[in-house]
Amino acid sequence: DIQLTQSPSFLSAFVGDRVTITCRASQGISSFLAWYQQKPGEAPKLLIHTASTLQSGVPSRFSGSGSGTEFTLTISSLQPEDFATYYCQQVDSYPITFGQGTRLEIK
Amino acid sequence: QITLKESGPTLVQPTQTLTLTCTFSGFSLTTTDVSVTWIRQLPGKALEWLALTYSNDDKRYSPSLKTRLTITKDTSEDQVVLTITNMDPVDTATYYCSHHIRGSGSSFWGQGHLVTVSS
């Protein structure tokens, strides 16, 4: 199985801050990586697929980059509604796997 | 408009078999590279991928649960069913189904269905 390790696991930031979350894969997955946002009591929401493609309707302050084994999700200017938990997911090979999550909280 | 909704029991006893149904609309499971995927989330924990089925009847399972999982599709009814045998309290979780495109991820999700395993 491909292991995904997200860092940090917890992040505290101010509204307006730029934040970056990293996802490292245990082996190369090309660009087959997706990022999700999940708020308490809600289903996850797809933000980015194929490492850097913004899902329709997602604000442009979200961006993704990377390929191979290292990927990043960047939020350019945090908004109050962005405080949530973020997950990466590899869809390169089976079994599909998720990172352990990064909880983003307001400072 | 794509929608999905999970249904099934909310309480099961240990050792019982859980049957969950995902009823969807707005897409067809006959479309190449489109699948319905099941994912669960134990309370306070990360997302865990369970299984998926594609239009060509290609089915994939989580290796750690493979012996207990069965996924089937009914394209005429626009439903996908997941069964999990020998349920245990550690299987208490919210179970989600999603519309998944090969190589891209899950762009549409059901609301989730909380299943508690307890005697």
Side-chain angles (χ1 to χ4, degrees):
Chain A
D1 300 6
I2 296 174
Q3 310 300 318
L4 297 180
T5 304
Q6 289 182 231
S7 59
S9 295
F10 176 82
L11 182 56
S12 182
F14 292 102
V15 171
D17 281 354
R18 177 185 180 92
V19 299
T20 298
I21 299 169
T22 298
C23 179
R24 289 188 173 86
S26 59
Q27 63 191 74
I29 57 172
S30 185
S31 295
F32 294 111
L33 189 100
W35 289 98
Y36 298 87
Q37 175 193 67
Q38 187 180 32
K39 297 180 180 179
E42 297 184 5
K45 173 187 175 183
L46 179 65
L47 299 175
I48 288 169
H49 64 85
T50 50
S52 59
T53 303
L54 200 65
Q55 178 69 3
S56 175
V58 174
S60 59
R61 61 181 180 273
F62 291 92
S63 64
S65 65
S67 68
T69 61
E70 186 151 338
F71 302 84
T72 59
L73 171 70
T74 299
I75 310 172
S76 60
S77 178
L78 275 174
Q79 299 301 300
E81 61 268 29
D82 300 337
F83 292 92
T85 300
Y86 293 84
Y87 294 95
C88 58
Q89 178 199 43
Q90 68 81 18
V91 291
D92 175 72
S93 62
Y94 301 104
I96 290 170
T97 49
F98 288 90
Q100 83 279 13
T102 294
R103 186 171 151 203
L104 176 55
E105 290 200 345
I106 192 165
K107 187 179 285 185
Chain B
Q1 179 190 3
I2 291 176
T3 64
L4 304 100
K5 187 173 183 179
E6 308 87 354
S7 60
T10 58
L11 178 67
V12 298
Q13 294 193 344
T15 75
Q16 282 189 332
T17 294
L18 171 67
T19 299
L20 293 171
T21 300
C22 178
T23 303
F24 58 87
S25 63
F27 68 97
S28 172
L29 254 185
T30 61
T31 304
T32 302
D33 290 339
V34 169
S35 74
V36 169
T37 296
W38 285 95
I39 291 160
R40 73 178 181 180
Q41 188 168 36
L42 279 59
K45 300 299 185 182
L47 301 165
E48 178 184 12
W49 179 81
L50 298 177
L52 60 71
T53 182
Y54 286 103
S55 59
N56 61 354
D57 218 31
D58 181 10
K59 300 176 184 181
R60 306 285 179 156
Y61 295 99
S62 166
S64 63
L65 292 165
K66 184 174 183 177
T67 59
R68 299 172 52 207
L69 300 177
T70 303
I71 191 169
T72 57
K73 61 181 173 66
D74 183 340
T75 51
S76 63
E77 297 291 331
D78 287 345
Q79 291 183 330
V80 171
V81 174
L82 180 73
T83 61
I84 309 177
T85 61
N86 195 25
M87 291 290 285
D88 184 271
V90 300
D91 295 312
T92 293
T94 297
Y95 289 79
Y96 296 98
C97 64
S98 70
H99 167 278
H100 175 98
I101 298 177
R102 193 191 305 265
S104 291
S106 292
S107 45
F108 298 93
W109 294 65
Q111 63 191 22
H113 186 76
L114 177 61
V115 177
T116 301
V117 185
S118 175
S119 55

